[in-house]
Amino acid sequence: MIIYVRQRGLFDLAPAQRHLGGRRCGYSLRNAGILSFQLSKLAFSLLPHFDHHNSRYGALSLLLGFRTNSAYDRWWEARKSWGEIVNDSRTLVRQAVTFTEAPANEKRELVANIAHLQIAWCYALANSLRRTQVLVYADLHLTAEEREYVSTQDNIPNAILNLIQFKIAALHDSGQIKTLLYQNIDDTLRRLCDAMGKCERIKNTVFPTQYAFFVHLVIFIFTLVLPMGLVESIGRIAIPITFTISFLFFYVEWIAYIMQNPFENGPNDIPMTSMSRNIEINLLQLIGAEKVPEKILPKNGVVM
């Protein structure tokens, strides 16, 4: 994700996103859309002989608005899903710490194993969504037996989640977790599985290429037709006006294009690796681990 430092001015537009964590992400998309709409409206209002263009630019703005809103909705749903993962990861380990009834040393080992499995799941899910090597970072939190098991599975994050379920079920069967409390942990695991499914749905569902191509085609035709209608009225100034309006429309369409796929291992991604590291830090501190890694800092204004 691009880390954007706000600077006030006429063109206050982020490349695609702003502010780590996504709370203000998408402002650039909305600002660019509003700016292109208002400037094009201003340009046409200055041309009294071309009121008939209003309906055309209005239709184009509606098409582009639907395009950008759809792209932003995909990005924001992905961000919310990872927000749920952060919360439920903390909840899972906190429940394991609180609900497990065992001698101190044994309890510490059991809870630590669950925490490391959950950390591995977060890293594996992030890598899986980006189509990179799934066990990068994740293998540091798995035993040799666990690595061997998950390596044979097609969906490694789901396999790690199964391992967590097996561990919790074993504690319940041995009487170390009561049935009512076991149901609470099972609900947490179900929510984690739901969040994983939402992310996989976004990753595997392609934005309709026909609609994206149609919007791009309409902008291109609009760019060709616009100067023909303006040149007789305002002469050569039609060239910079056409360029400015067309640039803004193409810019908004480009922002929508790069935001529609939030798991492409690019600078505008959801910062899943950084969020996984934050989860790792939180969970290791919950179990009282001695070695806790540092947070991932932005590099060249980008955090992954």
Side-chain angles (χ1 to χ4, degrees), residues 63-117:
L63 286 172
L64 197 55
F66 178 79
R67 171 85 165 90
T68 54
N69 286 338
S70 299
Y72 178 70
D73 285 344
R74 284 169 61 91
W75 193 97
W76 185 237
E77 183 179 2
R79 179 60 185 86
K80 289 192 295 184
S81 296
W82 268 88
E84 294 170 1
I85 289 172
V86 172
N87 295 338
D88 288 331
S89 296
R90 296 166 179 163
T91 299
L92 175 64
V93 175
R94 188 169 60 249
Q95 288 174 330
V97 171
T98 307
F99 297 165
T100 303
E101 299 177 355
N105 292 336
E106 181 183 356
K107 178 178 179 179
R108 188 180 302 109
E109 182 178 352
L110 292 171
V111 172
N113 185 221
I114 293 173
H116 282 285
L117 284 172

Side-chain angles (χ1 to χ4, degrees), residues 119-128 132-142 147 156 160 273 276-277 280:
I119 294 169
W121 179 80
C122 293
Y123 281 120
L125 178 60
N127 295 331
S128 175
T132 58
Q133 295 183 1
V134 179
L135 289 178
V136 174
Y137 293 123
D139 57 353
L140 301 177
H141 299 275
L142 299 174
R147 284 196 299 271
I156 293 179
I160 296 175
T273 304
S276 297
R277 176 60 61 83
E280 179 181 8

Side-chain angles (χ1 to χ4, degrees), residues 168-181:
I168 299 297
L171 292 175
H172 172 257
D173 293 341
S174 64
Q176 293 175 299
I177 294 181
K178 297 179 180 178
T179 300
L180 181 61
L181 302 180

